[in-house]
Amino acid sequence: MLNNTVDFLREIIQKELGDFEPEVGIVLGSGLGELADEFCQLSIPYSEIPNFEASQVSGHKSRLVFAEINGKKVVMMQGRFHYYEGHPIQKVVFPIKVMKKLGVKTVILTNAAGGVNPAFNPSDLMIITDHINHMNVNPLIGPNDESMGNRFPDMSEVYSPKLVEMVKKTASKLGIDTQEGVYMALTGPSYETPAEVKMARIVGADAVGMSTVPEAIVAKWADMEVIGISCICNSAAGVSTVALSHNDVIHAANIAKERFKTLVKEVVKNL
Ligand code: HPA
């Protein structure tokens, strides 16, 4: 299955771009997809890629984009697959395995998240330092492909501390403020209750969201370096008294997107 998809993509890449092996993979979260529009050299809709599903969340396009950014060859997911859409978890992480096979060494996972840390404000960018998997599912369950990774992969440093430092320094040189923290993933699609957000805070989360963690687990398993950046789009339930809406999330992502794009472009350059 994986080889079919990779062969299909390699053939198109070769035809359109020649010898092009992406070394960086970027997953663009809600409202953050414009980076792909800015640089697109080749785009392939998910609906045309064997074994890909179509992502249908508003604020997400559904295509794989190949481009060179600041001298680095990059593959970008403009829109990702979410577990809450009903996709099996293996489908959610399938593109990460495809990236690995295409030659990607570093993945940058981005998302929209709710702020659990009371010091965070909507449209803040948070560099992910660690995660808590509260989805009650692990994408590595099932037979293990030993050619890609171990049965019991170490998760002590999913988000490479060296790269966390690099992102921090890069942001500071650009004059972009960043936060740092732990991202907790829940399945969604309902937002959390205030009691759940309180629990998240107590167990050490700074932000909550509905993605990223399955992809990060698979990327680490497959020996890729991982950078995670959350756009804090709202204060999570109970942290503020305002009711949550997807439109507000997209609005906050829109406010952050220029800063976000500037940061990601420079991070890619510094990899
Ligand atoms: N909770 C979970 N996911 C989210 C949120 C939130 O508050 N905001 C954006 N994505």
Side-chain angles (χ1 to χ4, degrees), residues 237-248:
V239 178
S240 99
T241 49
V242 184
L244 306 191
S245 82
H246 184 61
N247 283 343
D248 290 346

Side-chain angles (χ1 to χ4, degrees), residues 135-204:
M135 286 180 143
N136 287 326
V137 67
N138 190 300
L140 301 178
I141 288 174
N144 188 54
D145 181 349
E146 291 288 331
S147 73
M148 290 196 83
N150 290 333
R151 172 75 293 187
F152 302 110
D154 175 44
M155 292 284 141
S156 357
E157 287 184 348
V158 177
Y159 306 86
S160 148
K162 175 182 102 232
L163 292 181
V164 167
E165 270 317 296
M166 185 273 269
V167 178
K168 256 164 74 175
K169 278 212 187 99
T170 304
S172 125
K173 273 198 194 138
L174 291 166
I176 295 173
D177 289 332
T178 49
Q179 308 279 9
E180 269 177 68
V182 174
Y183 175 93
M184 179 191 262
L186 302 96
T187 63
S190 52
Y191 289 119
E192 302 70 32
T193 63
E196 287 162 347
V197 171
K198 191 172 170 190
M199 172 198 73
R201 187 70 189 140
I202 289 169
V203 299

Side-chain angles (χ1 to χ4, degrees), residues 23-84:
E23 54 184 304
V24 183
I26 308 179
V27 179
L28 295 163
S30 297
L32 303 172
E34 267 185 23
L35 191 71
D37 293 329
E38 189 178 330
F39 287 93
C40 180
Q41 287 172 244
L42 166 65
S43 75
I44 310 170
Y46 296 155
S47 56
E48 291 174 14
I49 304 176
N51 307 311
F52 267 51
E53 310 272 310
S55 172
Q56 282 162 357
V57 184
S58 70
H60 293 263
K61 279 192 189 171
S62 299
R63 55 184 199 158
L64 210 53
V65 171
F66 295 86
E68 199 164 305
I69 300 181
N70 281 331
K72 296 264 165 39
K73 294 186 172 66
V74 174
V75 52
M76 285 175 272
M77 287 186 77
Q78 206 171 19
R80 57 152 58 83
F81 307 123
H82 297 89
Y83 189 52
Y84 63 71

Side-chain angles (χ1 to χ4, degrees), residues 112-114 191-192 208-210 234 236 244 249:
Y191 289 119
E192 302 70 32
V208 281
M210 307 174 192
N234 54 278
L244 306 191
V249 168

Side-chain angles (χ1 to χ4, degrees), residues 79-152:
R80 57 152 58 83
F81 307 123
H82 297 89
Y83 189 52
Y84 63 71
E85 292 173 88
H87 305 305
I89 197 72
Q90 279 76 16
K91 289 277 185 184
V92 172
V93 298
F94 185 73
I96 304 298
K97 297 180 185 175
V98 170
M99 285 181 178
K100 171 73 183 181
K101 292 271 184 193
L102 288 174
V104 167
K105 306 280 183 293
T106 308
V107 290
I108 304 176
L109 303 174
T110 72
N111 60 53
V116 172
N117 185 326
F120 291 0
N121 291 305
S123 94
D124 277 357
L125 298 177
M126 182 189 88
I127 305 166
I128 303 177
T129 54
D130 202 351
H131 73 224
I132 299 170
N133 182 8
H134 203 264
M135 286 180 143
N136 287 326
V137 67
N138 190 300
L140 301 178
I141 288 174
N144 188 54
D145 181 349
E146 291 288 331
S147 73
M148 290 196 83
N150 290 333
R151 172 75 293 187
F152 302 110

